[in-house]
Amino acid sequence: MRVALFVTCLADLMKPGVAFAAIRLLEHGGCTVEVPQTQTCCGQPAYNSGDRATALALAKKTLAEFEGFDYVVAPSGSCGGMIRAHYPELFRDDPATLKRIEGLASRTYELTDFLVNVLKLDSVPGDFRGTVTYHDSCSGLRELGVKAQPRALLATLPGVTLTEMNEAETCCGFGGTFSLKFGEVSTQLADNKCGNACATGADAIVGGDLGCLLNIEGRLRRRGDLKTQVLHIAEVLAGRTE
Amino acid sequence: MELRSNEFKARAAANLGDAKLQKGLGLIKVKAVVNRANAVAEFGDFEALREAGKAIRNRALADLDLYLERFEREATARGAVVHWAENASEACRIVVAIARENGVKTVAKSKSMVSEEVGLNDTLIEAGVTPIETDLGEYILQINDAEPPSHIVMPVIHKTAEDVADLFHEKHGTPRKTDPAALTREAREILRPKFLSADMGVSGANFLVAETGSTLIVTNEGNGRLCTTLPRLHVALTGIEKVVPTLEDASTLLRLLPRSATGQAITNYVSVHTGPKHIDESDGPQQFHIVLVDNGRSKLLAGEMREMLRCIRCGACMNHCPVYQAVGGHAYGWVYPGPMGNILTPSYVGLENAVALPNAATMCNQCGVVCPVKIPLPDLMRKLREEQMARGLKPWPERAGLALWGWAAQQPALYALGTRIAARFMKWLGGSEKLIHRLPLAAGWTNGRDFPAPEGRTFRELYKARRK
Amino acid sequence: MSSRDAILGRVRSALGRKVSLPDTAAIESYIAAHPVGLQPPRDWEPELRFRARAEALASTVEKVSSLQAVPGAVARYLVVNKLPTGGVCWPSLRKLDWIGAGLGMEDRPARGDDLVGVTGCYCAIAETGTLMLASGPDTPAAASLLPETHIAVVDTARIVPFMEDAWALLRAERGGLPRAVNFVSGPSRTADIEQTVTMGAHGPYRVHIILVG
């Protein structure tokens, strides 16, 4: 099975380890993983900012780069949701491309969703030890139905105890450019999330989207918490990738 | 109502530090949200009910002209007088004219967001007619110098019992009391004689039933019933989109509305009014006027915001919105706060007068998944953002930034170079702590948060190196 | 052009109507059919469900075997709860022996200072524990609204499962709607102050239901 990794722009720039962890997990599940080298961004920032033309151009670019694979997997519910839930809407007036886009959308998965529902993994190589609490990112949760999948995978790790936080499904306040435009409100929402997460006493806050995780970690550190780890689910599940 | 939607950003930020407001907003999460969740779970297949509600509202909108005419015909046949108002000022003129023709001095009002939308109270006062808000929340606001509501269902969610205690003590001249039950009794005793002496009752209408020409209102307090039973005139003021075909359709929507609003299976009172009182009845209004208000609705019907007209005004979108929960309703600067307001306000008052609102959401879609008639609120906000982009209503730094980034993202080699530089620069900014405390052009982030520094090399570089 | 025509014209143009007099046959046949929509599963017996729901809404419920037993039940309820033993009742209930039960019930329009109102109901709805009151010369709306205590007499044979059944009954028995249909589900309440539920906002503080059957 040839699987293309959609790296995501945030993993590429901020946390390459997340993409390597995703590759390790996919290979552990028996996939042949390829990484199209010209990929950049799915176009969501443009799409959500009202710049439909740029979003459309980036969607076409993504289509050309990823169309030839059995599956496309992204370590992000946000980018996965953009391709799966929103690309078809972008091409509503272009029936020829729409068919191809719908094909791409139907083959595109968020990482944990793919590991559980396509690869049907029942073990992962991770060796994390400690308590974690899981933040449900909005796009993954509400556009792709990612809720049980990461928890099922965490449950296969003997050293991990999951402690649920209050309001796990409430937005952390990231919202892409929202975090810059409405900084005070965004910070407040991140602060609520940190409060709920820390109240569990977990060693690590885990999530499936780097946008949320940067936001949560950024607020957590500003609050003076240098101890609680903030980790992408791929890093926890894959263990050491070096 | 005074329009202040372009002050959203500043007012939202200020409200974050308002302890009383935060206390009230905090209650939404533990009460309204929890109550709704319980009511939805208790119902069973609530998803199918939402689908049914959506279908009913779509059916009504697809033949809106025919259903409105049918409604008018039935209502008229039963002796009601149907008026049509193109806009806010015409709606007010109609109500004032009815009041003048009938020598009306005082008006008992039950809660109506359309009356807030058209600014009815101010117009009545100018015409020498005294409007008395009778919903407890609206009454509290009215005696507090006509403060605007901050929620469509719970108008004084921003006030504490202590605030109300001070207000009643000051305005009523009664001993100060803080118990909500005692405060409620005090308001009841002050308002009861006003109901009995009011010449005219003004209500809204949650639904208009085309089959029977009836207006339907839901209330818990009973003030809606009093306003529509005791005064000699009843004026129902509502939007043209509120029509539904049949009583059965209204019944289906009644399973959705209170569950979504307050977690009730049904409101205390559901009142269906058809025509004025019969000659042999001892109560009921001698005249029943229905004012159908357009005020921008027909324009929405023609465009991409049409789905918004399905809205049944339950308030679930704001109750579940993390932004509303943090900043409260006043920040939105007009009648309709929260996600529904992010769409309705720019639609009704002009996009240029509410520039921030379509952007004042994280697109988390918590509103969309609770909406009883399945309005895709974030999608509609995004369409308004597209319109802002097309009309040049976005600030230039945002447009320039987007254009530059969008162009670079389409040039893989350049993009790779740019991210290499950025990764190194940001790593350097992060220093030994690996935390960036100030990031150029990103003060919105770093004023309240650090920015975790990148590792210094991009995935693209590392992957290439590893493949060699 | 009148506002009516302008509004309807915009609506028609928004809907893409090509003809000036669109065909109303489709909406008329839908209205004539008035199909019943989605209802919750009916896995209950209507009287038991009505009672349980009414009590959950803070009404109190008792049952007597005949209409003649109603005045006695009303008297007991008022005395036990230390409430006044007089008030207004619907003209439709004037023939009951109120005096014999020691009550002063007057079949006149309710006033603002009446403390007790006794009414019947058109029918009752099991799904939500709701009374359906239909206004009329013998069934005025204010009697269930102005007094602080509302006592409602419900014939158990008139408990229907759903609101839709109540509409069907009205259509069958009366051919249409009265001026006012009021659905009453428990005492008047408000939660406007700190979302604290408080009974007796503007209507009755208590609703007592006497089932007859």
Side-chain angles (χ1 to χ4, degrees):
Chain A
M1 170 187 314
R2 283 178 70 227
V3 173
L5 181 73
F6 190 87
V7 175
T8 80
C9 53
L10 284 177
D12 178 46
L13 176 68
M14 302 298 301
K15 280 216 168 189
V18 169
F20 284 115
I23 292 172
R24 187 168 191 214
L25 288 164
L26 292 168
E27 288 178 347
H28 173 80
C31 302
T32 306
V33 183
E34 297 186 35
V35 185
Q37 284 300 293
T38 55
Q39 64 176 293
T40 54
C41 169
C42 65
Q44 197 202 48
Y47 185 57
N48 277 347
S49 297
D51 183 355
R52 200 176 170 88
T54 301
L56 201 61
L58 288 168
K60 280 183 184 155
K61 176 174 166 299
T62 304
L63 177 67
E65 290 159 347
F66 287 86
E67 202 177 13
F69 295 90
D70 297 329
Y71 291 101
V72 179
V73 174
S76 159
S78 178
C79 312
M82 177 66 193
I83 297 172
R84 222 181 145 106
H86 297 296
Y87 272 15
E89 193 274 330
L90 272 173
F91 291 90
R92 66 190 169 190
D93 301 325
D94 178 358
T97 317
L98 180 60
K99 267 216 123 46
R100 292 167 56 204
I101 278 287
E102 283 172 343
L104 178 74
S106 70
R107 297 192 304 276
T108 300
Y109 284 82
E110 185 272 342
L111 176 66
T112 62
D113 190 24
F114 187 75
L115 298 178
V116 169
N117 289 320
V118 179
L119 297 184
K120 314 222 179 278
L121 280 194
D122 50 20
S123 74
V124 287
D127 54 4
F128 188 87
R129 306 194 68 81
T131 51
V132 304
T133 190
Y134 196 85
H135 163 64
D136 294 294
S137 292
C138 299
S139 301
L141 177 70
R142 284 182 273 274
E143 286 173 357
L144 304 175
V146 175
K147 175 78 187 180
Q149 301 90 320
R151 289 171 174 78
L153 293 165
L154 286 169
T156 67
L157 294 176
V160 169
T161 309
L162 177 70
T163 313
E164 295 287 355
M165 69 176 104
N166 283 336
E167 299 176 19
E169 295 184 0
T170 298
C171 181
C172 71
F174 174 63
T177 53
F178 178 88
S179 63
L180 298 170
K181 279 186 219 163
F182 300 94
E184 295 95 339
V185 181
S186 178
T187 298
Q188 179 63 53
L189 301 191
D191 197 63
N192 297 348
K193 181 57 70 176
C194 290
N196 281 319
C198 291
T200 66
D203 302 310
I205 303 169
V206 179
D209 268 275
L210 274 176
C212 313
L213 296 177
L214 291 168
N215 186 39
I216 293 168
E217 184 176 356
R219 181 58 198 164
L220 201 60
R221 302 298 174 241
R222 183 63 64 90
R223 278 163 61 121
D225 182 335
L226 302 177
K227 190 173 110 280
T228 308
Q229 292 175 272
V230 180
L231 298 170
H232 192 279
I233 182 75
E235 299 174 283
V236 177
L237 298 177
R240 281 169 236 286
T241 52
E242 296 306 318
Chain B
M1 190 166 160
E2 191 194 357
L3 175 65
R4 298 180 64 186
S5 295
N6 270 344
E7 299 165 46
F8 177 84
K9 221 185 138 175
R11 295 179 81 194
N15 287 356
L16 294 172
D18 180 337
K20 282 183 190 172
L21 170 67
Q22 294 301 326
K23 184 183 172 199
L25 293 171
L27 290 174
I28 290 180
K29 288 190 203 176
V30 293
K31 296 202 172 172
V33 168
V34 172
N35 292 346
R36 177 196 171 274
N38 292 340
V40 163
E42 192 267 343
F43 181 81
D45 196 353
F46 199 72
E47 278 312 296
L49 191 61
R50 292 173 71 219
E51 217 35 85
K54 173 183 173 181
I56 289 168
R57 296 296 298 128
N58 278 347
R59 175 184 292 276
L61 294 172
D63 284 311
L64 183 60
D65 52 343
L66 306 185
Y67 283 119
L68 284 169
E69 286 176 302
R70 166 78 198 229
F71 171 82
E72 181 186 39
R73 200 167 69 237
E74 296 297 327
T76 308
R78 284 295 298 266
V81 185
V82 177
H83 308 259
W84 301 72
E86 287 237 53
N87 49 41
S89 60
E90 188 174 12
C92 292
R93 271 203 308 280
I94 290 167
V95 181
V96 166
I98 297 168
R100 285 212 170 122
E101 281 162 25
N102 292 282
V104 168
K105 302 247 178 338
T106 60
V107 170
K109 274 188 73 205
S110 77
K111 209 159 111 54
S112 152
M113 298 315 294
V114 173
S115 83
E116 300 278 350
E117 184 184 320
V118 302
L120 180 63
N121 283 4
D122 289 345
T123 319
L124 285 172
I125 292 165
E126 281 164 30
V129 179
T130 308
I132 300 145
E133 294 287 354
T134 62
D135 172 87
L136 177 60
E138 297 283 350
Y139 172 72
I140 290 167
L141 295 173
Q142 189 181 31
I143 63 169
N144 193 35
D145 303 325
E147 186 186 357
S150 71
H151 189 288
I152 64 162
V153 176
M154 302 173 281
V156 285
I157 188 71
H158 58 285
K159 286 206 180 309
T160 61
E162 297 286 336
D163 292 335
V164 180
D166 289 339
L167 186 68
F168 278 18
H169 174 60
E170 182 201 329
K171 302 281 179 178
H172 296 161
T174 48
R176 189 177 183 279
K177 46 185 86 71
T178 55
D179 173 36
L183 291 165
T184 303
R185 185 172 260 281
E186 184 168 317
R188 173 191 174 109
E189 282 165 4
I190 285 183
L191 285 168
R192 179 56 73 91
K194 302 196 173 179
F195 279 117
L196 294 168
S197 63
D199 306 298
M200 182 162 112
V202 170
S203 74
N206 294 88
F207 303 114
L208 303 167
V209 184
E211 175 190 358
T212 54
S214 315
T215 61
L216 184 155
I217 56 172
V218 301
T219 74
N220 280 315
E221 297 185 2
N223 62 316
R225 285 187 66 194
L226 289 164
C227 290
T228 56
T229 304
L230 301 180
R232 59 192 162 88
L233 289 98
H234 171 201
V235 178
L237 184 70
T238 197
I240 55 169
E241 85 282 17
K242 292 287 173 65
V243 71
V244 298
T246 66
L247 293 167
E248 278 74 6
D249 290 336
S251 301
T252 303
L253 293 168
L254 283 172
R255 293 193 176 96
L256 283 164
L257 174 56
R259 281 186 174 86
S260 301
T262 55
Q264 293 172 282
I266 190 167
T267 46
N268 255 74
Y269 302 112
V270 176
S271 301
V272 181
H273 293 113
T274 314
K277 95 186 210 27
H278 293 232
I279 188 113
D280 50 2
E281 277 188 287
S282 63
D283 51 27
Q286 293 154 20
Q287 291 179 36
F288 182 21
H289 297 266
I290 301 164
V291 185
L292 302 176
V293 181
D294 183 339
N295 206 30
R297 287 159 175 79
S298 59
K299 198 182 84 198
L300 287 201
L301 190 67
E304 291 197 301
M305 296 301 120
R306 178 163 163 179
E307 292 189 273
M308 197 61 216
L309 292 175
R310 285 206 296 270
C311 178
I312 57 172
R313 306 290 193 265
C314 69
C317 61
M318 61 198 72
N319 290 343
H320 291 77
C321 173
V323 177
Y324 177 91
Q325 285 175 357
V327 307
H330 286 154
Y332 292 82
W334 201 53
V335 184
Y336 304 107
M340 67 186 291
N342 290 346
I343 295 154
L344 285 177
T345 306
S347 297
Y348 288 166
V349 306
L351 199 49
E352 64 285 357
N353 294 316
V355 175
L357 293 192
N359 302 293
T362 65
M363 304 303 239
C364 75
N365 198 30
Q366 185 62 60
C367 51
V369 299
V370 297
C371 174
V373 288
K374 303 189 83 159
I375 300 169
L377 293 143
D379 291 344
L380 299 185
M381 289 179 222
R382 190 181 297 108
K383 284 175 182 164
L384 289 173
R385 295 177 187 187
E386 286 171 10
E387 195 185 330
Q388 288 185 325
M389 188 62 100
R391 287 176 52 192
L393 288 171
K394 292 208 166 229
W396 74 264
E398 186 188 344
R399 275 183 289 152
L402 259 176
L404 180 66
W405 167 86
W407 175 76
Q410 292 172 63
Q411 327 289 329
L414 180 73
Y415 184 87
L417 178 68
T419 50
R420 281 177 69 154
I421 295 168
R424 282 159 178 77
F425 175 61
M426 286 165 72
K427 183 188 181 199
W428 172 77
L429 280 180
S432 59
E433 284 180 297
K434 299 185 179 175
L435 290 172
I436 302 168
H437 302 305
R438 291 241 163 275
L439 192 59
L441 305 174
W445 182 294
T446 52
N447 281 346
R449 288 157 290 190
D450 291 332
F451 197 87
E455 291 162 24
R457 297 177 71 190
T458 64
F459 170 80
R460 208 181 304 267
E461 290 176 69
L462 295 166
Y463 186 74
K464 226 180 238 171
R466 227 175 259 198
R467 303 282 281 189
K468 268 177 193 161
Chain C
M1 197 195 307
S2 71
S3 295
R4 177 187 186 279
D5 293 345
I7 292 167
L8 285 173
R10 276 198 304 274
V11 169
R12 288 197 227 284
S13 124
L15 295 175
R17 301 268 190 228
K18 300 279 186 289
V19 289
S20 57
L21 287 172
D23 187 7
T24 58
I27 72 145
E28 288 304 332
S29 74
Y30 178 79
I31 288 174
H34 49 78
V36 170
L38 190 77
Q39 298 173 329
R42 203 197 136 172
D43 48 7
W44 29 258
E45 191 283 314
E47 186 183 328
L48 292 178
R49 166 81 171 201
F50 172 78
R51 193 172 180 140
R53 285 294 152 140
E55 286 171 347
L57 293 167
S59 296
T60 49
V61 185
E62 69 173 302
K63 188 171 179 180
V64 298
S65 56
S66 71
L67 201 55
Q68 284 66 43
V70 165
V74 171
R76 276 194 305 280
Y77 171 79
L78 293 175
V79 169
V80 166
N81 290 286
K82 301 188 172 64
L83 294 166
T85 52
V88 286
C89 70
W90 271 2
S92 64
L93 298 173
R94 69 164 69 94
K95 289 194 179 131
L96 293 180
D97 184 10
W98 301 110
I99 295 167
L103 299 173
M105 286 298 159
E106 298 172 32
D107 61 333
R108 54 163 173 78
R111 293 189 302 249
D113 55 356
D114 283 321
L115 293 171
V116 176
V118 182
T119 75
C121 70
Y122 178 71
C123 69
I125 294 158
E127 179 192 354
T128 45
T130 298
L131 304 167
M132 182 196 203
L133 310 177
S135 73
D138 287 336
T139 56
S144 62
L145 182 58
L146 289 172
E148 294 192 356
T149 301
H150 172 206
I151 299 175
V153 181
V154 179
D155 178 353
T156 54
R158 303 285 291 182
I159 300 176
V160 297
F162 298 109
M163 187 181 278
E164 288 88 341
D165 301 302
W167 300 129
L169 208 56
L170 260 182
R171 287 191 191 102
E173 292 181 348
R174 301 206 181 170
L177 298 187
R179 178 190 68 76
V181 169
N182 283 297
F183 294 96
V184 175
S185 307
S188 148
R189 68 187 69 196
T190 181
D192 272 348
I193 300 175
E194 293 193 1
Q195 296 190 58
T196 304
V197 176
T198 302
M199 299 296 170
H202 288 295
Y205 283 85
R206 53 196 83 78
V207 173
H208 183 63
I209 295 167
I210 301 176
L211 298 173
V212 179

